[in-house]
Amino acid sequence: MKMVIVDDEKGIVDGLNKLIGRYVPECEMIGAAYNGLDGFRLILERQPDIVITDIRMPQADGLEMIRMLKDEACHAKFILLSGYAEFEYARKGMQLGVQFYINKPVEEEELQECVYKVMEVIRSERARQQEVHNLKQQVHNRMVESALRDLLDAGSDNKVLVDELLRVVRIPLEDTRYVCAMLEFESSLGALKGPGLERLFLRIGQTLEQFQGVYRIRYSGSQVAVMVTHDQAIEYGELIRSIHDLKEMIYQETKLSMAVGIGTVQERAERISLSFEEARHALSYKVIKGEDAVIPYSEIINLKGRRLPVSEEIISKLEACMDNMDEKGCVNLIREIFGIIEKEESMSPADLQLQCLSILLSSMRKMSVQQFQQHDIIGRHILSLESISRFRTLEQLEEWMIQVIQGILSFKQEHQLPRKKDIIAEIKEYVREHYSEPISLADLSARFFINPYYLSQLFKQKTGETYLNYLAQTRINKAKELLIRTDLKVYEICQRVGYSDAQHFARLFEKLTGCRPSEYRKNPLRE
């Protein structure tokens, strides 16, 4: 604790200095003054924790000095030196918030007891302030994480919503480039909770520190989403090299392997979610690239550009058979596909590998991450598929593919995963019932056993809008009802419809309705 003494008698200042040094060694004397004005200047400059001051002093007495310091928002605690005949001064001191007094002449025990009481009050106040600060920081972190998650899932046609989310996260809109990556670890990140996850996030930030902004959130049990922003062109090759360095560093420190999908660089904020979708799609190619591969989306574009002998129509039929749990139909289609492949004389091993990947992804793309990780056949076989050369004949590869498809169907049946007649309708109903809860695309993926990338595409295809836009509109519609039918305050309505930040809620409400919540309550027919 730092202390300043203010008294017009030098003998008293020197005496108090010695007593404090002897009986309260926890306090450090950082200065002394001999009148109220000098004391005022010294205290503002040095910012002590405790001030011992006399009352009667030239130029400005102790009470006037305290009054001036309070006006300057000084947070020091004051101990007044007072005589028994100075009760009126003590009363005025209490009006200024002074709680501690030492009678003259000063006794060692009284001084020690008083200073220790002041120190305990300061420690208690600091502990409460730290607790409040930590609570505010936790709320802020949750709000930022939620906004980042929504930003990644927003969709490219949600400019109004994206702008508002960027404001919450404080990411610049103008003259900025954006790129996303998805990190997926070999197992759940349960071992990296708390400090472990913080260290992982720290390593990500350190490895990518050459970029202006690095944002990361835990997207699902084993996945971490990363967004990089920069006010200049992002050199894609440099980003890929940094990701490789990150992968090696994390493995050395935690022995955790990870695969990474990297989206393309975007120059418009509303296309952030597109880069994220690309990252997730690139990550799905780990089935042939390996479970510790770094996969830029640019590589997938090149693969997708090649000519494939099997039509999308046949692949769609295979997906339908998988949905309907039609094992016989699936086997027949696999044999039909390999019959077509066999007739393609010019097909290279790489083309064959890509074709097999298309078949596998079509059968798995609706599965959630949780299913994918616990699926024994996929875990033991697909993730170990490094090249087609491990199979000596096309027939061997064909039989292996049939076994995998049969394994996936058995897995679905064993875990009683029902066929969804209209999964989007079920999801919309769930959102209408749970709109007040934090329900992200990843949460829905885990609940409804469906891959988040596929869910995002399917929701847009079935409804014409992104999931996040639907959620926001549902919440705002409910807020409108509450504004009309209840006397709840705006911040209470904000919390009831699933938002933690009243300012964010008010801005979003205005952008979606054209007026602020308070204005809508006064005139709900103005829309």
Side-chain angles (χ1 to χ4, degrees):
M1 298 278 182
K2 297 182 295 183
M3 179 182 286
V4 162
I5 298 175
V6 185
D7 195 296
D8 59 342
E9 295 184 40
K10 189 175 185 305
I12 291 180
V13 171
D14 294 340
L16 286 172
N17 196 350
K18 290 179 181 178
L19 290 175
I20 293 295
R22 180 180 303 168
Y23 295 103
V24 193
E26 298 91 339
C27 277
E28 175 192 1
M29 296 299 303
I30 61 170
Y34 301 97
N35 63 69
L37 285 181
D38 287 345
F40 170 75
R41 300 186 188 100
L42 178 67
I43 293 165
L44 284 184
E45 177 188 345
R46 302 284 177 87
Q47 294 295 312
D49 302 298
I50 303 172
V51 174
I52 298 179
T53 179
D54 192 13
I55 295 177
R56 294 180 177 180
M57 293 185 295
Q59 299 188 40
D61 66 24
L63 296 178
E64 181 60 25
M65 179 189 75
I66 294 173
R67 187 177 295 109
M68 291 190 298
L69 288 167
K70 293 287 185 182
D71 290 342
E72 296 291 333
C74 174
H75 297 294
K77 297 295 181 186
F78 296 92
I79 299 174
L80 280 178
L81 293 172
S82 64
Y84 290 108
E86 295 175 324
F87 175 77
E88 183 60 26
Y89 284 104
R91 187 180 66 82
K92 291 181 180 179
M94 284 190 271
Q95 292 174 350
L96 290 170
V98 178
Q99 300 173 324
F100 306 98
Y101 299 85
I102 298 176
N103 291 315
K104 294 180 180 178
V106 177
E107 299 289 339
E108 294 90 337
E109 290 184 1
E110 184 183 8
L111 174 66
Q112 184 184 46
E113 181 181 358
C114 184
V115 173
Y116 274 125
K117 284 182 180 179
V118 176
M119 292 170 63
E120 185 59 34
V121 168
I122 292 173
R123 291 191 183 104
S124 297
E125 288 184 356
R126 287 178 178 174
R128 288 195 297 270
Q129 290 170 358
Q130 186 62 45
E131 187 177 343
V132 171
H133 172 77
N134 292 342
L135 183 60
K136 288 182 178 179
Q137 191 62 44
Q138 289 175 12
V139 172
H140 174 74
N141 290 344
R142 283 198 295 269
M143 182 182 70
V144 169
E145 181 174 336
S146 176
L148 275 173
R149 191 184 299 275
D150 289 348
L151 184 62
L152 296 174
D153 293 336
S156 57
D157 58 349
N158 268 338
K159 188 176 188 309
V160 170
L161 191 54
V162 168
D163 288 354
E164 175 54 32
L165 292 170
L166 287 170
R167 183 199 298 266
V168 172
V169 188
R170 297 180 180 175
I171 295 176
L173 268 166
E174 304 295 333
D175 300 321
T176 302
R177 279 75 170 176
Y178 314 88
V179 63
C180 297
M182 177 72 96
L183 284 56
E184 183 171 290
F185 292 82
E186 60 183 345
S187 59
S188 173
L189 290 175
L192 291 179
K193 287 181 179 178
L197 191 61
E198 290 177 7
R199 283 195 295 272
L200 173 62
F201 283 2
L202 178 63
R203 289 289 177 264
I204 294 172
Q206 290 173 338
T207 308
L208 302 174
E209 64 182 359
Q210 68 270 40
F211 302 106
Q212 189 177 35
V214 180
Y215 307 85
R216 51 274 197 210
I217 60 169
R218 184 170 184 168
Y219 191 75
S220 71
S222 62
Q223 294 181 329
V224 170
V226 178
M227 180 174 65
V228 171
T229 66
H230 204 53
D231 57 1
Q232 301 176 20
I234 295 177
E235 209 287 299
Y236 203 56
E238 179 184 356
L239 175 64
I240 294 171
R241 287 190 294 274
S242 295
I243 295 292
H244 275 286
D245 292 342
L246 174 66
K247 183 171 72 73
E248 294 301 322
M249 181 186 301
I250 289 175
Y251 182 77
Q252 290 175 7
E253 293 184 0
T254 67
K255 301 305 178 186
L256 287 175
S257 296
M258 71 176 188
V260 185
I262 307 175
T264 58
V265 178
Q266 302 295 330
E267 296 188 358
R268 299 206 311 272
E270 63 268 24
R271 293 174 69 86
I272 289 173
S273 61
L274 174 60
S275 181
F276 184 59
E277 284 193 5
E278 292 172 346
R280 286 192 297 195
H281 188 62
L283 184 62
S284 67
Y285 277 69
K286 68 181 182 296
V287 295
I288 59 169
K289 296 288 187 180
E291 60 182 344
D292 62 348
V294 174
I295 312 165
Y297 186 74
S298 56
E299 291 183 9
I300 308 306
I301 295 175
N302 295 333
L303 286 174
K304 290 171 68 175
R306 295 179 179 176
R307 179 176 61 87
L308 298 176
V310 180
S311 67
E312 286 292 330
E313 181 182 357
I314 295 179
I315 296 295
S316 297
K317 287 181 180 179
L318 177 61
E319 291 180 6
C321 287
M322 295 292 295
D323 286 343
N324 295 322
M325 305 291 286
D326 181 2
E327 181 178 340
K328 184 178 179 180
C330 289
V331 171
N332 289 337
L333 281 167
I334 293 294
R335 298 204 184 282
E336 180 181 348
I337 288 170
F338 273 83
I340 296 171
I341 292 174
E342 189 175 10
K343 294 177 183 179
E344 189 69 23
E345 297 179 357
S346 61
M347 181 172 264
S348 68
D351 293 331
L352 180 58
Q353 189 181 44
L354 178 59
Q355 190 63 66
C356 292
L357 174 64
S358 297
I359 299 169
L360 293 175
L361 291 183
S362 68
S363 63
M364 296 184 299
R365 72 190 183 108
K366 299 181 183 181
M367 296 176 69
S368 68
V369 174
Q370 289 82 354
Q371 292 170 295
F372 189 85
Q373 289 171 339
Q374 62 182 312
H375 192 314
D376 185 59
I377 288 185
I378 294 176
R380 286 189 296 107
H381 293 294
I382 294 182
L383 292 182
S384 64
L385 177 59
E386 296 178 356
S387 68
I388 299 301
S389 61
R390 67 195 293 264
F391 299 100
R392 294 184 178 181
T393 66
L394 197 60
E395 288 76 14
Q396 289 179 350
L397 178 58
E398 179 181 343
E399 291 305 317
W400 178 82
M401 293 287 287
I402 289 174
Q403 288 178 19
V404 171
I405 297 297
Q406 290 173 331
I408 293 173
L409 292 174
S410 298
F411 177 86
K412 289 183 176 181
Q413 190 172 20
E414 179 185 348
H415 289 77
Q416 299 180 336
L417 303 182
R419 283 174 285 179
K420 304 290 184 181
K421 293 182 179 179
D422 190 350
I423 192 171
I424 297 305
E426 292 186 34
I427 288 173
K428 291 173 72 174
E429 179 63 26
Y430 181 83
V431 170
R432 286 193 291 269
E433 293 176 359
H434 299 270
Y435 61 86
S436 62
E437 302 171 12
I439 40 178
S440 67
L441 205 59
D443 296 327
L444 292 178
S445 164
R447 177 170 291 277
F448 288 92
F449 297 100
I450 186 168
N451 181 279
Y453 177 73
Y454 176 73
L455 173 57
S456 175
Q457 292 184 318
L458 184 63
F459 197 97
K460 180 69 180 294
Q461 176 187 339
K462 294 286 188 180
T463 67
E465 63 180 339
T466 64
Y467 159 69
L468 195 61
N469 192 60
Y470 176 78
L471 175 61
Q473 197 63 60
T474 299
R475 287 172 166 173
I476 295 303
N477 288 341
K478 186 62 180 179
K480 288 158 65 175
E481 291 180 21
L482 293 173
L483 285 167
I484 296 172
R485 298 178 182 178
T486 74
D487 295 326
L488 291 170
K489 299 184 185 302
V490 171
Y491 76 86
E492 294 175 315
I493 293 175
C494 161
Q495 294 172 350
R496 288 214 179 179
V497 299
Y499 294 108
S500 57
D501 182 357
Q503 291 183 341
H504 166 55
F505 164 71
R507 289 194 298 264
L508 184 60
F509 188 98
E510 184 174 11
K511 288 181 178 179
L512 293 181
T513 66
C515 61
R516 297 186 68 79
S518 56
E519 297 169 343
Y520 182 85
R521 171 169 269 166
K522 294 176 183 176
N523 185 13
L525 300 179
R526 63 175 289 168
E527 281 192 279

